[in-house]
Amino acid sequence: MGWTLAFATVAILFVLISGANDGATLLGLGLRFPRSPGWAIASLLVVVLFAGPYLLGIAVARTFTERLAGLGTSGGATAFLAGVVIAVAVVAVLTGRGLPTSLTLAVIGGITGAGFGAGLPVSWSSLGTVLAIGAGAPLVGLALGYLLGTLSRRVPSYHRMPRLVLAAHLLAYAAQCVAYAVNDGQKMIAVVSVAVDVGRDGLGGVGPVEVPPAWMAVLVALFLAGALTSLTRVGERLGRGLVITRPLHIVSAETAATGAVLGSSALGSPVSMTQSITAGVVGVAASEGARRVRWQSVMNMGTAWLVTLPSSMALGCLAGLALRLL
């Protein structure tokens, strides 16, 4: 009963934090568009997040539970729990110091480190592939953002342009939600699946990823609650830290992030939607000149990303070692 409660508590907190980190970023960028219908922006995210995994698969969720470490063996569930707890702690400390970072990157490092410390087999080749794709996605988002930002300035203006750009924004935002649901959002599915599995079968190895619709509805509700609690803070960061002003720029940033994340999803590799959105925003802003970007904010986030993986992996290893010695 104690382990079931521990896994359930961690799963709930993890989904809330994912909402505050990722969901608020998605909503914040969507609502920055002039005259964006708030109910449509929120509804699109909720519907796609719920239905996406069932319609498009859960390959990325399986990466967290199967490709990083041998979590299917005895002790795998506790190592997974330790890795997730370490990831949340690392993100909380860095965010508290004004360095917002990637929860996805922290989870990858925490799970791998905990598995290694616990004596479980670690697939270093899979880890290397995941990290290479994860590092490439923001660069792709940056390049696409710059290209689309440059092209958007050449779009002619006429009386129907506002309506057409609003329609383009809603389409780009919907695609962005799909990209999140089939990639970065699946870290929540992995965590909830392990918690449900432990509650049903007890401790042991991590089983196949499976989240019944009822639990998926709870996940989406918690995610939205977390997003709404952090929406103002993240919106201010997007507005003042990384400046984009023109409606077409917002559409360009959304499209750039979507392209980067969907490309990674096809390879079954988790990447951070927050990182990809940030890279897309920076690329769009830079297309109007380097002075349009607040480089200090970019440097702060880049520093946090560089610190996240080694710190979460090292602390995860210590946690796994502690579990092994108990």
Side-chain angles (χ1 to χ4, degrees), residues 26 33 65 83 87 144 171 191 223 294 314:
L26 285 165
F33 194 94
T65 60
L144 285 175
L171 286 173
V191 173
F223 179 83
R294 301 230 167 91

Side-chain angles (χ1 to χ4, degrees), residues 233-261:
R233 174 180 58 83
V234 172
E236 290 175 350
R237 188 182 78 212
L238 286 171
R240 292 201 294 264
L242 304 166
V243 177
I244 51 175
T245 54
R246 295 178 61 202
L248 274 175
H249 283 178
I250 297 173
V251 175
S252 299
E254 291 170 334
T255 305
T258 299
V261 174

Side-chain angles (χ1 to χ4, degrees), residues 243-299:
V243 177
I244 51 175
T245 54
R246 295 178 61 202
L248 274 175
H249 283 178
I250 297 173
V251 175
S252 299
E254 291 170 334
T255 305
T258 299
V261 174
L262 284 179
S264 304
S265 301
L267 301 173
S269 181
V271 298
S272 171
M273 176 60 84
T274 303
Q275 283 183 317
S276 299
I277 290 176
T278 300
V281 170
V282 171
V284 170
S287 71
E288 289 197 337
R291 293 184 179 180
R292 293 290 298 163
V293 181
R294 301 230 167 91
W295 292 108
Q296 185 59 53
S297 297
V298 175
M299 291 297 295

Side-chain angles (χ1 to χ4, degrees), residues 64 68 83 86-87 90-91 94 101-114 124 126-135 270 275 301-317:
F64 287 106
L68 299 177
I86 289 298
V90 167
V91 170
L94 290 174
T101 188
S102 166
L103 181 57
T104 301
L105 193 60
V107 171
I108 292 170
I111 291 174
T112 304
W124 297 109
S126 293
L127 176 64
T129 300
V130 167
L131 293 179
I133 295 172
Q275 283 183 317
M301 283 185 279
T303 299
W305 294 345
L306 290 175
V307 169
T308 297
L309 181 68
S311 59
S312 59
M313 189 175 287
L315 292 172
C317 185

